[in-house]
Amino acid sequence: MATSPIEIHGLTKHFGATVALDRLDLSVAKGEIHGFLGPNGAGKSTTIRVLLGLLRKDAGEVVLLGGDPWADAAELHRRLAYVPGDVNLWPNLTGGEVIDLLGRLRGGINRRRRDELLERFELDPTKRGRSYSKGNRQKVALVGALASDVELLLLDEPTSGLDPIMESVFQSYVDTFRDNGGTVLLSSHILAEVEALCDRVSIIRSGHVVESGTLSELRHLTRTAVRVDLASPPRGLAELEGVYDLEVDGTRARFSAETARLDTVLAALVDVGVRSLTATPPTLEELFLRHYGDQLEPTEP
Amino acid sequence: MTGWALLLRTFLRRDRWHFLWWSVGLAILYVSQGWSVDGLYISQQDFDEAAALMESNTAFIAMTGPPRALNTTGGQVIWQSAAFGAVTIGLMSMVLVARHTRHEEETGREELVRAAAIGRYASLVATTVTVLLANLVAGALVGGGLAAYGLPVADSLASGAGLALCGAFFTGVAVLAAQLTSTTRGLYGLTGAVIGTAYLLRAIGDVGSSWLSWVSPIGWYQAMHPYSGLRWWPALLLVAAAALALSVGYLLFVRRDLGSGLMAARPGPARAGAGLRSGFGLAWRLQRGSVIGWSVGMLLGGLSYGSIGDQAGDLLGDSDLTREMFAGGAEDLVDGFYGFSLIMLALIATAFTLSAVSRPRSQEEAGHAEMLLATGVTRLRWLAGQLAVCLLGTFLVVVCAGVGLAVGYALATGKGSGFERFALPMLAQVAPLLVVLGFAVLLYGVIPRLLAAGWALLGFAVVVLMFGEVFRFPEWLRNLSPYEHLALAPAEPFRIAPFLVLLALAAVLTGLGAFAFRRRDIA
Ligand SMILES: Nc1ncnc2c1ncn2[C@@H]1O[C@H](COP(=O)(O)OP(=O)(O)OP(=O)(O)O)[C@@H](O)[C@H]1O
Ligand SMILES: [Mg+2]
């Protein structure tokens, strides 16, 4: 089996006294778009910067495209493209010059795709760095990355500042990139983007990956909200395993149930007799809030 | 205009250090001339002779202004300081206006301010008042300083007032430029061009076609003739010109949108040219402006030292102090003076080298290094590209200084020997410069935060050069300055050993810095 493009085991990184990464594990398979999520300061950018060989790891194993991201940085970089979340352009270079420069330094740029991308993103390449708006600076880096023929995209909040139309242009290009066999690590706070694009996601908190899997696997670990109107007042619901926050009002009940135990819960309801029922699967927001917020205990995998 | 007083208060608070440093600097520029003139010429006869020499030196006149009453302290002060003072106060006004206009618009802060309950003109009025106040403070300090030094009061005040009015004129120009261009750089470019032209016009005018001096605001200031038959009416020309520039600026201000300028920003190339394909290509592109500017500056600096020619001895006067300071033990005062000039020029060139070598750090801080290092460029190549431009620039700047010296000397004396006596030894000064460069690279590689300590080394070298002899610094302390090791050209013959040792030291320092840089985190 060829090693996957990104394999990280037990990665640890300190900045003085702060522990930015704490025994982080992450694995991204070839041909997938991997969402990388977590609250501010969780360590997403730090992970990506270790992958780029910009930061030196303190401990752990990191394999990038089969190589060592620190020792083989330059060779590996020819096979990947990176978009930082905060793109700073050289004030006196035009966007077109930056795109070409970065492309050349990466070892070549696909001219046809470059022009097509400029058009799709409605980006004027003749403006100078200082006169671009935030979103347009971001587009310069995106066009540069997407126009290169690479195997891997490392995207650190690449769409912060893009308007919704540009967001969808971005999504269609990343989709195509994956369909052609490319691999993407996408750090993002935009949940809709993650839901639309990602095959698998990893959630990081305080420098440690706390959850990793496909979206439906993650959903499985959370609770479904249930509202039900029964034939008679419910009995024994509260004792059922996997039922939380039960509120009973006559024959009506509201509660949340562990998605993995919905079977037994529903069976119990059917025993009483169901008149009407709505079940709402957890939204992505709820899924993440569960991991982001402090009040909810993280589930150790 | 609602709210302008409030803005004025915050501007004054933000600018208080600018106020202080610029005006103190200007006052020192003027008063120190008086001090140095009085120190240099002990007898009036010495003074008269030196003055006669200066009056006949065209290069001096082009640099400073029309020679009047040069055998008096006041005459010397205004001759030596007025043109530079006017340029300096012009630069101050330009920087301060840019700070509160284009810079604020570029960063989007102006938008926040204007969105508040504040009149449309408020921030422009507050800016204008702030900068005019800064001019006033500088003028008052200069005038007061000169009077306190003991020069005639009315003439001293006129020197300060004329200076402040020059500042007011350039303030008007900067306000006008702020409406025309849409960027801080554009403002600097336009205003700088006006300041440069004003200086150049009076230079040509003072040397030959005197009507040109009457087209230049700096010429008007000098036409007030402080300390040599003071007259006030040319000040009216300055007042009128300042008022005109300001009113046009205000008229244009209402005709433009926030964030834009009346001159549309020029679009640049849509594709990168052939030169932009390596770290070096990029570094050159980013630094070429400063390399060219410094080269021209050093050429002029060399010219001005060189044009003193063989008069150096007579001009300086033959006091013990001058012997100690300039001759450094050399028998011939002329040789001694040029030995001193070579090191002085090398020290000035070091300022270029240090500012060039700080670029990698600012590129790293701005996140530009990150973008490049995420491509196929290795760290070493990236750093090498940056340093290659530093090296090339340093070399160019030093060559220009040497050529300037030799050409200036040839113009003044008709002798071509300056190339061999000054220009070649000037080249050898590359060695100590590279040691400072290596020291800076080492700092950058190991503790980038402390990169500024490179300037401390330069400062130390300046102190050693100026005061080492006079205050009898111990040998070991003087040897810490990299500039103290080369043979003292043109008095002494070139010695290869110290030159090579300095180069080797520079190479080791640079290598260590690069090694450390390869192993550390990129910010
Ligand atoms: N150069 C640095 N020096 C010191 N601390 C740092 C440095 N870079 C990152 N950190 C710290 O490491 C931790 C992780 O930061 P990181 O930038 O990786 O977070 P992130 O997940 O990308 O957050 P965000 O969503 O806000 O981008 C933070 O606590 C941050 O303060
Ligand atoms: Mg981040």
Side-chain angles (χ1 to χ4, degrees), chain B residues 135-474:
Chain B
N135 288 314
L136 191 69
V137 169
L141 219 57
V142 165
L146 290 173
Y149 183 72
L151 292 171
V153 174
D155 298 80
S156 300
L157 292 185
S159 304
L163 181 70
L165 286 175
C166 279
F169 170 73
F170 290 123
T171 305
V173 171
V175 165
L176 178 53
Q179 318 312 320
L180 293 177
T181 79
S182 57
T183 60
T184 307
R185 264 168 176 262
L187 191 161
Y188 282 171
L190 281 181
T191 317
V194 173
I195 297 176
T197 311
Y199 179 81
L200 211 64
L201 285 176
R202 64 129 281 283
I204 307 172
D206 293 345
V207 172
S209 7
S210 58
W211 64 272
L212 280 176
S213 301
W214 285 105
V215 189
S216 161
I218 303 180
W220 300 337
Y221 172 31
Q222 292 177 323
M224 289 170 70
H225 296 165
Y227 307 112
S228 57
L230 173 67
R231 49 188 190 183
W232 280 95
W233 63 263
L236 293 179
L237 290 174
L238 283 168
V239 173
L244 182 70
L246 271 175
S247 354
V248 177
Y250 273 73
L251 275 181
L252 295 183
F253 172 72
V254 277
R255 286 164 191 267
R256 70 173 180 94
D257 297 328
L258 185 63
S260 72
L262 287 172
M263 296 181 343
R266 238 171 346 112
R271 290 182 186 283
L276 210 54
R277 54 174 61 253
S278 61
F280 174 78
L282 175 66
W284 170 247
R285 169 74 184 274
L286 296 178
Q287 294 220 39
R288 65 183 176 197
S290 114
V291 169
I292 293 170
W294 270 89
S295 299
V296 172
M298 291 304 283
L299 191 71
L300 294 178
L303 270 174
S304 65
Y305 276 105
S307 63
I308 294 172
D310 291 332
Q311 297 172 353
D314 307 320
L315 277 183
L316 294 171
D318 202 353
S319 68
D320 283 348
L321 181 70
T322 46
R323 269 209 175 275
E324 292 231 337
M325 212 164 144
F326 294 104
E331 278 305 304
D332 182 23
L333 202 52
V334 176
D335 278 0
F337 170 77
Y338 277 105
F340 179 86
S341 309
L342 287 182
I343 302 183
M344 203 62 218
L345 286 168
L347 289 170
I348 299 174
T350 309
F352 162 79
T353 305
L354 282 172
S355 76
V357 78
S358 74
R359 293 295 184 97
R361 167 141 165 90
S362 51
Q363 294 275 306
E364 186 182 335
E365 296 244 289
H368 298 153
E370 169 174 331
M371 294 233 283
L372 289 178
L373 292 176
T375 68
V377 180
T378 63
R379 289 181 181 217
L380 269 190
R381 283 196 80 106
W382 177 75
L383 187 63
Q386 301 273 339
L387 293 184
V389 173
C390 278
L391 215 68
L392 188 78
T394 299
F395 199 69
L396 215 62
V397 161
V398 169
V399 166
C400 283
V403 168
L405 262 180
V407 170
Y409 187 76
L411 287 178
T413 63
K415 290 188 262 186
S417 60
F419 282 93
E420 193 194 331
R421 287 177 62 208
F422 316 135
L424 279 181
M426 187 71 222
L427 273 188
Q429 295 289 341
V430 165
L433 257 90
L434 294 188
V435 171
V436 179
L437 175 73
F439 178 61
V441 175
L442 181 63
L443 287 173
Y444 176 61
V446 182
I447 345 171
R449 246 175 328 113
L450 295 187
L451 183 57
W455 291 95
L457 181 59
L458 173 61
F460 170 73
V462 171
V463 171
V464 167
L465 175 72
M466 301 292 242
F467 306 113
E469 196 84 39
V470 180
F471 291 127
R472 314 241 180 276
F473 284 10

Side-chain angles (χ1 to χ4, degrees), chain A residues 221-240:
Chain A
L221 294 173
T222 53
R223 298 167 192 171
T224 304
V226 180
R227 276 162 181 267
V228 62
D229 194 0
L230 298 166
S232 58
R235 279 164 287 107
L237 258 186
E239 285 83 61
L240 267 178

